[in-house]
Amino acid sequence: MRKVLERIYLAIILIFMYAPILTLIVLSFNSSKSRAKWGGFTLKWYINLLSDEAVASALFNTLSIAVLATIFSTIIGTFTCIAMIGLSSKLRSIIMGITNIPMINADIVTGISLMLLFRFLHISTGFTTILLAHITFNIPFVMLSVMPRVKNINFYVYEAALDLGASRPYAFFKTILPDIVPGIVSGALMAFTMSLDDFIITYFTKGSGFETLSTLIYNEVKRGIQPEIYALSALIFVVVLVLLMIVYRAPQAKTKEK
Amino acid sequence: MKLFKSKRSAGLMASPYIAWAIIFIVVPLCMVFYYGLTSADGGFTFDNIATIMKPGYIKALKRSIVLAIISTLVCFLLSYPLGMILASMKLKKNAYIVTLFILPMWMNFLLRTLTWMTLLEGKGVINTILEFLHLPTLNIINTNGAIVLGMVYNFLPFMILPIYNALNRIDENVINAARDLGAGTVQTFLRITLPLSMPGILSGITMVFIPALTTFAISTMLGGSKILLIGNIIEQEFTQLYDWHLGSGLSIVLMIFIILNMIIENLSDNGGNN
């Protein structure tokens, strides 16, 4: 009896989470513009979407910002984590304290503070400012996932490598880097998803005329929802689902090999 | 450590980030405080912060706090039993069922909110179904209720994840020991499970409360233009009224709440550990 109740509870929460998304997917195939009635199956919203230049450019902006922000933040974050080993504990805690600020602070305050900086410096807002903002809020996520790995590094192996005649860089790449790579990968993935999903900080640092997917959807919604947006949601949902399956399968496959 | 030849070379390696953090984290935050504490002519003032006490503003702040608390509470009440059920299933790491519950987190935040706009509208999906079944229709779009629903839907995974992780980490032997020593179900829960899962609960609360308190997109989309939260007011000051001083002053007020929340979290976390 208890098991049944538990399963029902899980089912209810899953329905609450997924029924709305499924509704959107169904509506994306509805030929009637009204959301209240079913006008038959159609793919025209998908076709409209694919020929929509605004969506295409927003998608391109979103992806290029996410990729670049991930690369930069992963490099900077990883280098800093490694450097932390050699720093005094006082300096280390100051750096970590500052790094925590964007994580703890509300996105709206982070967004506004960066907007003030860019306006004050007369940097015209657009691609560059969004990229700078995204790198800034991504670095903490990278450091947060790389730092535990760095703390657990076994330096005896590194020293043994040096004693056996390895050069410092060689010993580093052979003994230390492999230990922290999983942290770097998960940090980079986290940075990428954070960047894709961000709306608030992008909204304040984007300037007018430059749109990412999030800001485009926000503007569209304010004007009234078009069925093309449903098609877009359905596509994004399927892509996210497939990506996550791959990500979640990958580490399991690796442990099986071992 | 032998990794670096000297402290200097480690410092050199950390310096790009230190410079980055000063330019893009510390300086911008100082600018918020500078603008928030000065008036348009540059003189020092508390007026921007004090504006929060004016009727329209204090109303929005109170509404934000109340709605954020309700949303956090609902998320907690939904997530805790869920976390317990999932933890009792003794799943492998990365099990699909757990992934399923946090998957919506990766779906675009605005699209998640948009779904509820579609469902709740006057002539939306839910009302169409209700009409078809000859049931009374629901009119909660553009109300506080719709905003709470949007918050719960958006932020629920942020509560589920830390609570499940905390519950999953509890050593079963501790619970068995309590049972062996004569504790009943309720007592075991109150004295073992609940305190041991406290860190997860607290981080879940923070991860739901802060975004709920400071959101403006959810209230714009589900609350219509009539219901303003403090986030909407700050957003308008910057994007429509261009009053950076007032906007920054109100942001300082928000930060006070964030810091308060942090202090409470740290205090109760330490209390739990002792």
Side-chain angles (χ1 to χ4, degrees):
Chain A
M1 185 61 201
R2 193 185 156 147
K3 269 263 167 322
V4 176
L5 283 177
E6 284 182 353
R7 290 292 145 92
I8 292 173
Y9 187 76
L10 291 187
I12 290 173
I13 302 271
L14 279 180
I15 290 170
F16 172 64
M17 284 178 144
Y18 287 95
I21 298 173
L22 286 178
T23 315
L24 282 198
I25 295 177
V26 171
L27 284 174
S28 74
F29 295 110
N30 181 8
S31 69
S32 155
K33 250 194 170 188
S34 148
R35 289 176 272 282
K37 66 170 185 277
W38 178 254
F41 180 87
T42 180
L43 286 175
K44 72 175 167 195
W45 311 125
Y46 286 88
I47 295 162
N48 287 356
L49 185 75
L50 294 178
S51 57
D52 190 329
E53 272 174 36
V55 172
S57 84
L59 185 67
F60 176 77
N61 291 338
T62 307
L63 287 175
S64 48
I65 286 169
V67 169
L68 288 174
T70 306
I71 293 171
F72 282 115
S73 59
T74 306
I75 293 171
I76 299 173
T78 308
F79 265 88
T80 313
C81 282
I82 295 169
M84 296 274 251
I85 305 167
L87 297 177
S88 65
S89 62
K90 197 177 167 194
L91 195 56
R92 234 183 304 172
S93 59
I94 293 173
I95 293 178
M96 278 328 270
I98 295 173
T99 304
N100 275 331
I101 294 176
M103 314 233 5
I104 298 163
N105 214 340
D107 282 355
I108 186 172
V109 182
T110 307
I112 283 166
S113 70
L114 285 165
M115 186 188 100
L116 288 177
L117 177 80
F118 296 140
R119 291 283 160 85
F120 183 79
L121 296 175
H122 296 288
I123 301 175
S124 59
T125 43
F127 185 88
T128 320
T129 48
I130 301 177
L131 182 61
L132 290 172
H134 279 222
I135 295 172
T136 305
F137 76 71
N138 275 339
I139 292 174
F141 288 104
V142 174
M143 286 177 68
L144 208 72
S145 79
V146 176
M147 211 54 205
R149 294 276 173 175
V150 169
K151 276 183 186 157
N152 286 329
I153 289 174
N154 185 349
F155 284 98
Y156 293 119
V157 182
Y158 175 73
E159 282 168 19
L162 291 185
D163 289 344
L164 291 169
S167 66
R168 278 170 179 275
Y170 187 81
F172 172 80
F173 282 109
K174 284 290 173 184
T175 67
I176 291 182
L177 198 63
D179 279 348
I180 54 177
V181 161
I184 297 174
V185 172
S186 70
L189 275 176
M190 198 124 93
F192 187 71
T193 48
M194 286 293 155
S195 206
L196 279 188
D197 201 45
D198 179 67
F199 163 68
I200 298 176
I201 294 171
T202 308
Y203 180 77
F204 283 108
T205 50
K206 81 181 174 71
S208 61
F210 188 90
E211 307 292 347
T212 65
L213 271 187
S214 292
T215 59
L216 182 87
I217 296 165
Y218 189 67
N219 292 343
E220 291 283 317
V221 160
K222 274 179 147 178
R223 269 187 264 145
I225 313 169
Q226 297 300 314
E228 283 87 357
I229 293 286
Y230 296 138
L232 181 66
S233 328
L235 286 179
I236 290 180
F237 181 69
V238 172
V239 170
V240 167
L241 197 70
V242 171
L243 278 180
L244 272 181
M245 290 290 180
I246 296 169
V247 169
Y248 269 78
R249 283 317 293 236
Q252 282 175 340
K254 247 180 235 162
T255 44
K256 266 178 209 156
E257 276 166 28
K258 278 179 188 168
Chain B
M1 291 294 168
K2 275 194 167 178
L3 184 60
F4 294 99
K5 284 187 183 128
S6 65
K7 272 197 176 170
R8 203 124 165 243
S9 58
L12 208 64
M13 198 168 158
S15 55
Y17 175 62
I18 296 176
W20 188 286
I22 290 171
I23 298 170
F24 293 107
I25 299 175
V26 179
V27 170
L29 208 57
C30 292
M31 289 182 71
V32 172
F33 279 98
Y34 170 76
Y35 278 105
L37 293 170
T38 53
S39 57
D41 53 34
F44 179 83
T45 177
F46 276 120
D47 284 354
N48 299 316
I49 296 177
T51 307
I52 194 67
M53 298 313 289
K54 287 189 184 159
Y57 296 86
I58 194 74
K59 200 175 159 202
L61 180 66
K62 276 185 188 160
R63 179 185 283 132
S64 300
I65 294 172
V66 171
L67 295 188
I69 290 177
I70 295 173
S71 308
T72 311
L73 203 66
V74 174
C75 281
F76 170 71
L77 293 176
L78 289 175
S79 304
Y80 205 87
L82 184 73
M84 286 182 78
I85 295 170
L86 288 176
S88 74
M89 289 163 80
K90 303 200 182 40
L91 301 154
K92 278 184 295 182
K93 213 184 155 205
N94 290 346
Y96 276 115
I97 179 95
V98 181
T99 317
L100 218 50
F101 282 99
I102 51 174
L103 181 94
M105 209 159 78
W106 278 277
M107 175 108 176
N108 190 292
F109 157 73
L110 288 163
L111 291 180
R112 275 179 282 160
T113 314
L114 175 90
T115 56
W116 283 100
M117 269 178 93
T118 311
L119 289 172
L120 295 177
E121 273 173 329
K123 286 210 177 296
V125 175
I126 288 182
N127 277 345
T128 310
I129 296 171
L130 288 175
E131 260 172 38
F132 182 75
L133 298 170
H134 297 289
L135 290 169
T137 54
L138 213 63
N139 282 315
I140 69 162
I141 188 81
N142 301 343
T143 64
N144 289 335
I147 295 176
V148 169
L149 189 60
M151 288 174 176
V152 171
Y153 185 70
N154 269 304
F155 305 134
L156 189 61
F158 295 114
M159 184 71 93
I160 294 175
L161 196 60
I163 286 184
Y164 167 71
N165 282 337
L167 286 170
N168 211 20
R169 263 200 298 269
I170 296 176
D171 188 348
E172 215 184 327
N173 291 326
V174 182
I175 292 170
N176 289 337
R179 290 288 176 92
D180 286 348
L181 292 169
T185 315
V186 178
Q187 206 178 3
T188 313
F189 175 77
L190 289 178
R191 300 187 64 168
I192 308 288
T193 314
L194 196 61
L196 283 177
S197 60
M198 214 32 135
I201 298 174
L202 290 172
S203 77
I205 288 176
T206 307
M207 283 173 79
V208 174
F209 184 73
I210 300 295
L213 181 73
T214 58
T215 186
F216 63 91
I218 295 178
S219 40
T220 307
M221 290 166 79
L222 294 172
S225 48
K226 281 171 225 133
I227 303 179
L228 292 180
L229 298 183
I230 189 70
N232 294 91
I233 290 188
I234 294 178
E235 187 246 339
Q236 284 174 6
E237 294 299 339
F238 280 98
T239 59
Q240 288 164 26
L241 307 169
Y242 301 103
D243 190 342
W244 296 3
H245 296 276
L246 183 52
S248 300
L250 298 173
S251 302
I252 295 174
V253 176
L254 267 192
M255 277 191 272
I256 294 171
F257 279 94
I258 294 167
I259 292 167
L260 273 179
N261 180 70
M262 244 172 66
I263 292 171
I264 294 169
E265 187 185 0
N266 280 333
L267 283 181
S268 33
D269 203 9
N270 291 337
N273 287 343
N274 298 335

